[in-house]
Amino acid sequence: MYRRAPSCRAASLTYRVPDIKRGIQKTREGVPVLLEFITGKETEVSRPGT
């Protein structure tokens, strides 16, 4: 079973370091972790087959 972690928005990498460290710790404990970083504003939507 997967649980969704609370999302957070951070303007600086220094605020993301604790999240990365928590992700590493959870991985070591055998818990799957997904870290997603959106680095730029996208103005187009991706569509299959285009």
Side-chain angles (χ1 to χ4, degrees):
M1 172 154 87
Y2 295 101
R3 285 185 276 169
R4 184 180 172 113
S7 62
C8 62
R9 295 179 182 204
S12 170
L13 181 59
T14 57
Y15 293 111
R16 293 183 184 133
V17 171
D19 296 327
I20 295 169
K21 288 182 178 181
R22 277 193 301 273
I24 292 169
Q25 182 59 40
K26 286 297 182 183
T27 300
R28 289 182 177 152
E29 294 170 7
V31 177
V33 174
L34 170 66
L35 298 176
E36 180 179 20
F37 297 95
I38 300 172
T39 59
K41 184 176 181 179
E42 295 294 328
T43 58
E44 295 183 28
V45 177
S46 174
R47 293 188 171 83
T50 59

